Amino acid sequence: KTAFRLHAATREAAFVMAGFVIVVIFSRVFGSGALWRPIMGATYDPAFKAAVQESVELMGYALIAFGAVLSFRTGFGQNRKGAGN
């Protein structure tokens, strides 16, 4: 297996991938004004929408950072069984 495939199969890489999906996809959809206007109606506040979007993005970035630190500490999957093959 390649080094990338070894790392991609780790729990650490799953944190990075989940964070990436949250930042790139989920935060954009969840932070969309088109989503919040029908939900909030007349009480729609763009500041609330922005706060929610930024909070979701922060969670995604935290997952990416956490996964990156874990990946570094564990050798990016190189210490797993089959790494030498």
Side-chain angles (χ1 to χ4, degrees), residues 12-63:
E12 295 83 3
F15 281 114
V16 174
M17 290 182 236
F20 181 77
V21 168
I22 288 172
V23 169
V24 172
I25 298 171
F26 186 71
S27 74
R28 300 294 179 244
V29 172
F30 200 65
S32 170
L35 173 72
W36 287 99
R37 281 186 184 94
I39 293 172
M40 295 180 74
T43 61
Y44 173 74
D45 183 10
F48 179 78
K49 177 199 73 86
V52 169
Q53 182 179 10
E54 296 301 322
S55 298
V56 171
E57 283 183 20
L58 181 61
M59 181 181 67
Y61 288 128
L63 281 173

